Amino acid sequence: QVQLAESGGGLVQAGGSLRLSCAASGISVSRYEMAWYRQAPGKQRELVAGITSGATTNYANSVKGRFTVSRDNAKNTVDLQMNSLKPEDSGVYYCKAARWVATYWGQGTQVTVSS
């Protein structure tokens, strides 16, 4: 059974930092295309950052230079380091794993950035 468990969300002031972690069980993150998405109230879920099985990373334009996605194969986790946070970064952050036709999502973790 595949599970993705996000952690690390919370309330932070603008300009602050948070580090989110996605712990996977039932899959190896090194073999999957892993990504972080976020969804703000009333908005569609959007891609924030991703890391491929080949360790190539990609970022939404809105977070480039502020967020960093990384993978720890030994811990089987994917992290998202978020710096210089802005109120518009607020939302529920989800971890996603995809490989071929299989797609898995975590339950999400809330990030709130106050101005």
Side-chain angles (χ1 to χ4, degrees), residues 70-91:
S70 61
R71 187 178 70 202
D72 188 324
N73 293 340
K75 294 181 179 179
N76 210 30
T77 58
V78 176
D79 288 356
L80 184 67
Q81 177 66 43
M82 306 187 294
N83 299 326
S84 302
L85 283 161
K86 304 175 181 180
E88 51 264 42
D89 293 319
S90 298

Side-chain angles (χ1 to χ4, degrees), residues 4 7 16 22-23 27-28 38 47 52 55 63 74 77 80 85 88 95 97 101 103 108-109 111:
L4 301 175
S7 61
C22 172
I27 62 168
S28 295
R38 69 186 178 195
L47 175 67
T52 70
V63 307
T77 58
L80 184 67
L85 283 161
E88 51 264 42
C95 179
V101 297
T103 301
T109 185
V111 171

Side-chain angles (χ1 to χ4, degrees), residues 26-108:
I27 62 168
S28 295
V29 296
S30 62
R31 297 186 177 184
Y32 278 69
E33 312 299 303
M34 302 298 298
W36 285 94
Y37 283 70
R38 69 186 178 195
Q39 188 167 20
K43 295 188 177 181
Q44 289 190 332
R45 193 172 296 188
E46 62 175 354
L47 175 67
V48 175
I51 182 166
T52 70
S53 56
T56 299
T57 57
N58 63 286
Y59 299 91
N61 287 334
S62 60
V63 307
K64 282 182 181 177
R66 300 188 297 122
F67 290 13
T68 303
V69 62
S70 61
R71 187 178 70 202
D72 188 324
N73 293 340
K75 294 181 179 179
N76 210 30
T77 58
V78 176
D79 288 356
L80 184 67
Q81 177 66 43
M82 306 187 294
N83 299 326
S84 302
L85 283 161
K86 304 175 181 180
E88 51 264 42
D89 293 319
S90 298
V92 179
Y93 282 68
Y94 298 91
C95 179
K96 175 188 171 184
R99 183 171 185 247
W100 298 108
V101 297
T103 301
Y104 306 99
W105 290 91
Q107 293 299 307

